[in-house]
């Protein structure tokens, strides 16, 4: 997965209750976790809408600047995009011809976006089974660029949060080339499910959680079962359920195990690589699974030129 040379990468996930940053280092073809830092937010942010709100923007800028103060390398941070700023549309691929599939997907993007096409940055993802149109609003990315400038961070890169989860699973060395895995990322007020088949992204679903409800994990389990029923063949169950995110606690894992008839574990995105003593201290209180999206963003940056 990794090349040679010295390289640093930092992934930043803005969650419901804080900013989560993972800094990875690649040296002599060996990756390691240097820092995992959380900066809390007093109020949950509705992103990307609140990027234009002065008070919310100021709070987020302060949190990002705090990452630099605490020693996180932010020369070229990678941010996860979610919500109305981005979308992933699944389409069938042209059998046996990736170039034709790629052309078809970009044509599909034009049909989906129409006159708004110029307002989006568009890319495609091709797996063995499907093609995906991936799009993100340019004005939202511009807002992040300006936010990083205000915070003293370098110019950012971007990825879709669901794809970052897939990268976290791959980077952890726990992706299987056979079978199906489901990943559930739980934040305080939101949840995200990603389905991975034969090591490749296949489907996603997001929903809001009621942070004041004691049944919030049960509701997540219902949504999880509903998507699995729609995506899997009759009688098929995922081979593994991975639970992660700031609210992906041992208690949440236990409840999901009761609801979903498959083996479930907390996802440690760093289990397959060396972790510095400082990084281990950083995530001791929250657990490494809280850094899954930020880790996935950092893993992707490590393998890119």
């Amino acid at each position: 997965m990794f090349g040679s040379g010295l390289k640093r990468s930092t992934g930043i996930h803005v969650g419901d209750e804080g900013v989560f940053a993972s800094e990875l280092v690649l040296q002599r073809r060996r990756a390691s976790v240097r820092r995992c830092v959380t900066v809390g937010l007093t109020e949950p942010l509705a992103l990307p809408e609140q990027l234009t709100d002065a008070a919310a923007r100021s709070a987020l800028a302060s949190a990002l600047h705090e990452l630099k103060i605490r020693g996180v390398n932010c020369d070229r941070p990678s941010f996860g995009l979610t919500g109305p700023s981005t979308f992933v549309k699944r389409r069938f691929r042209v059998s046996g011809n990736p170039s034709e599939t790629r052309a078809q997907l970009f044509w599909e993007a034009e049909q989906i976006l129409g006159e708004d096409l110029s307002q989006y940055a568009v890319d495609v993802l091709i797996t063995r089974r499907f093609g995906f149109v991936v799009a993100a609003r340019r004005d939202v990315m511009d807002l992040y660029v300006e936010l990083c400038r205000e915070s003293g961070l370098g110019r950012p890169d971007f990825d879709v949060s669901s794809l970052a989860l897939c990268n976290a699973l791959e980077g952890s060395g726990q992706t299987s080339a056979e079978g199906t895995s489901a990943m559930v990322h739980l934040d305080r007020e939101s949840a995200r499910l990603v389905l991975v088949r034969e090591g490749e992204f296949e489907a996603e679903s997001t929903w809001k959680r009621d942070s004041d409800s004691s049944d919030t994990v049960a509701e997540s389990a219902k949504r999880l079962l509903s998507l699995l029923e729609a995506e899997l063949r009759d009688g098929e169950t995922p081979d593994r359920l991975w639970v992660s995110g700031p609210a992906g606690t041992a208690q949440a894992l236990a409840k999901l195990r009761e609801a979903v008839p498959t083996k479930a574990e907390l996802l440690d995105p760093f289990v397959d690589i060396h972790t510095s003593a400082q990084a281990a201290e950083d995530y001791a209180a929250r657990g490494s699974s809280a850094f899954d999206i930020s880790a996935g963003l950092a893993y992707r940056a490590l393998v890119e030129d």
Side-chain angles (χ1 to χ4, degrees):
M1 176 177 182
F2 302 118
S4 60
L6 174 63
K7 192 172 185 179
R8 298 179 185 273
S9 65
T10 297
I12 299 176
H13 166 59
V14 183
D16 294 338
E17 58 183 302
V19 174
F20 296 82
S22 298
E23 182 187 342
L24 305 184
V25 177
L26 179 65
Q27 187 171 23
R28 297 187 181 92
R29 304 181 66 86
R30 183 187 183 191
S32 62
V33 190
R34 179 179 176 271
R35 295 299 306 269
C36 291
V37 174
T38 305
V39 179
L41 296 169
T42 56
E43 296 290 338
L45 297 180
L47 297 178
E49 297 88 347
Q50 284 190 288
L51 286 175
T52 58
D53 178 85
R57 185 183 180 87
S58 176
L60 183 52
S62 296
L64 294 176
H65 184 66
E66 179 69 17
L67 295 178
K68 287 196 64 175
I69 294 176
R70 294 174 61 177
V72 177
N73 182 286
C74 295
D75 291 343
R76 187 75 174 182
S78 295
F79 283 83
L81 297 177
T82 186
S85 64
T86 185
F87 66 79
V88 179
K89 299 290 186 182
R90 186 172 71 185
R91 296 292 186 265
F92 287 104
R93 59 169 295 170
V94 178
S95 179
N97 196 321
S99 62
E100 288 187 17
T101 297
R102 184 177 178 84
Q104 174 69 19
L105 290 172
F106 277 110
W107 179 85
E108 296 254 10
E110 293 178 4
Q111 308 315 303
I112 294 169
L113 296 171
E115 295 180 355
D116 295 330
L117 180 63
S118 62
Q119 299 177 27
Y120 285 81
V122 178
D123 201 353
V124 299
L125 170 67
I126 301 174
T127 68
R128 288 186 291 272
R129 290 164 54 85
F130 296 104
F132 298 87
V133 176
V134 184
R137 290 189 62 90
R138 295 185 184 276
D139 57 350
V140 171
M141 292 190 290
D142 289 342
L143 287 170
Y144 273 104
V145 170
E146 180 61 22
L147 180 67
C148 287
R149 188 193 65 78
E150 295 172 2
S151 309
L153 277 62
R155 187 176 181 85
D157 289 322
F158 303 96
D159 198 3
V160 177
S161 294
S162 293
L163 299 182
L165 283 173
C166 294
N167 291 333
L169 184 62
E170 180 183 359
S172 72
Q174 298 175 100
T175 298
S176 174
E178 300 179 353
T180 303
S181 298
M183 305 172 64
V184 182
H185 172 91
L186 298 176
D187 220 320
R188 186 172 72 178
E189 298 186 355
S190 61
R192 178 176 300 272
L193 171 69
V194 173
L195 191 64
V196 178
R197 187 185 293 274
E198 298 175 354
E200 296 180 326
F201 175 82
E202 180 126 329
E204 66 168 350
S205 180
T206 60
W207 61 92
K208 290 291 185 182
R209 304 177 71 222
D210 184 355
S211 59
D212 296 325
S213 171
S214 60
D215 295 327
T216 182
V217 176
E219 179 61 29
S220 294
K222 291 179 182 177
R223 295 292 297 263
L224 169 60
L225 289 170
S226 177
L227 183 68
L228 293 178
E229 182 179 356
E231 291 290 337
L232 300 181
R233 295 182 287 270
D234 290 344
E236 183 184 10
T237 59
D239 299 286
R240 186 71 60 88
L241 173 65
W242 297 102
V243 181
S244 64
T249 62
Q251 292 81 359
L253 174 65
K255 290 185 178 181
L256 287 171
R257 278 175 171 166
E258 294 174 0
V260 183
T262 191
K263 184 176 181 180
E265 298 180 37
L266 291 177
L267 173 63
D268 179 355
F270 308 124
V271 68
D272 200 41
I273 65 173
H274 176 263
T275 301
S276 70
Q278 180 61 66
E281 182 180 337
D282 288 340
Y283 64 66
R286 301 303 300 259
S288 58
S289 61
F291 296 86
D292 55 349
I293 291 180
S294 63
L297 294 165
Y299 276 127
R300 177 181 176 179
L302 274 189
V303 300
E304 290 183 337
D305 292 332

